[in-house]
Amino acid sequence: NYLAEKGESAREKMLAAILISVCFDTFEGTKSLETPGLNRMLNRHLANALVESIKEVKQHFDDNKKWNLEDVFTSTTVREFDSRFTAKMFGYKDVMEYYADARLYDKVENIKVPTLAINAEDDPFQPDASIPKAQAERSSHVTIVTTKYGGHVGFVEGWIPSGFFWSDRLVSQFL
């Protein structure tokens, strides 16, 4: 979002940008995480991890009237956590306003720094249909490369994973 917000002025600070497994559309990404099966299990795991991270530093949030920590601690999805904690933490009126602001899907054409985005079509955070390929085609600065498989940040090379990542080679070529 920084690149889209700053437009041309971002070029004063950056020569290029790499986005790996970025969630371009927070609405669709969240909806994807809520589908039954593995995505829903991943969603619950992530929500639990977020809740635990706040529990560990609970003393920093106890006196704040923005949220009810007991409600935050019962979050079982990322959307619930974002609604009960994240949106309030950053001053949004609700999770929908937060997701709209975080959504990069409709801001791609504002990016004016050479940017390479690598996404997998099977990424549970960013389903293929919501990757802004047409917007990138119209952009003078953004290229989106998609792979059929790779999940979320899983661009391992070869049939037997060897520790080498295809995305690392692509990034080094881009830079």
Side-chain angles (χ1 to χ4, degrees), residues 10 20 27 34 45 62 65 67 71 95 110 122 142 155 165:
I20 297 180
F27 294 108
E34 293 170 347
H45 172 75
D62 275 336
K65 303 295 182 217
W67 44 70
D71 281 348
V95 74
N110 297 339
D122 66 345
V142 177
F155 300 102
F165 290 83

Side-chain angles (χ1 to χ4, degrees), residues 90-149:
F90 294 102
Y92 293 97
K93 70 177 181 179
D94 58 28
V95 74
M96 298 305 279
E97 182 182 61
Y98 167 56
Y99 284 175
D101 193 40
R103 186 176 191 243
L104 188 56
Y105 185 90
D106 53 354
K107 302 171 190 167
V108 169
E109 293 178 43
N110 297 339
I111 297 173
K112 301 302 178 190
V113 171
T115 301
L116 172 65
I118 305 169
N119 281 74
E121 294 173 6
D122 66 345
D123 187 337
F125 291 91
Q126 185 58 69
D128 181 49
S130 60
I131 296 172
K133 296 173 188 172
Q135 293 87 323
E137 287 178 16
R138 291 190 300 269
S139 169
S140 58
H141 293 85
V142 177
T143 298
I144 297 176
V145 175
T146 60
T147 60
K148 186 162 182 66
Y149 303 108

Side-chain angles (χ1 to χ4, degrees), residues 50-120:
L50 291 166
V51 166
E52 289 303 314
S53 71
I54 299 304
K55 282 182 178 178
E56 289 176 9
V57 293
K58 180 181 179 223
Q59 70 277 8
H60 297 293
F61 302 105
D62 275 336
D63 296 333
N64 197 314
K65 303 295 182 217
K66 287 183 182 180
W67 44 70
N68 176 332
L69 283 181
E70 292 311 312
D71 281 348
V72 172
F73 296 157
T74 63
S75 300
T76 60
T77 67
V78 171
R79 184 189 310 264
E80 286 176 354
F81 182 85
D82 286 344
S83 178
R84 296 170 182 173
F85 185 80
T86 311
K88 294 176 181 182
M89 175 73 175
F90 294 102
Y92 293 97
K93 70 177 181 179
D94 58 28
V95 74
M96 298 305 279
E97 182 182 61
Y98 167 56
Y99 284 175
D101 193 40
R103 186 176 191 243
L104 188 56
Y105 185 90
D106 53 354
K107 302 171 190 167
V108 169
E109 293 178 43
N110 297 339
I111 297 173
K112 301 302 178 190
V113 171
T115 301
L116 172 65
I118 305 169
N119 281 74

Side-chain angles (χ1 to χ4, degrees), residues 11 19 32 38 88 139 161:
R11 297 176 72 124
L19 310 175
S32 174
L38 290 175
K88 294 176 181 182
S139 169

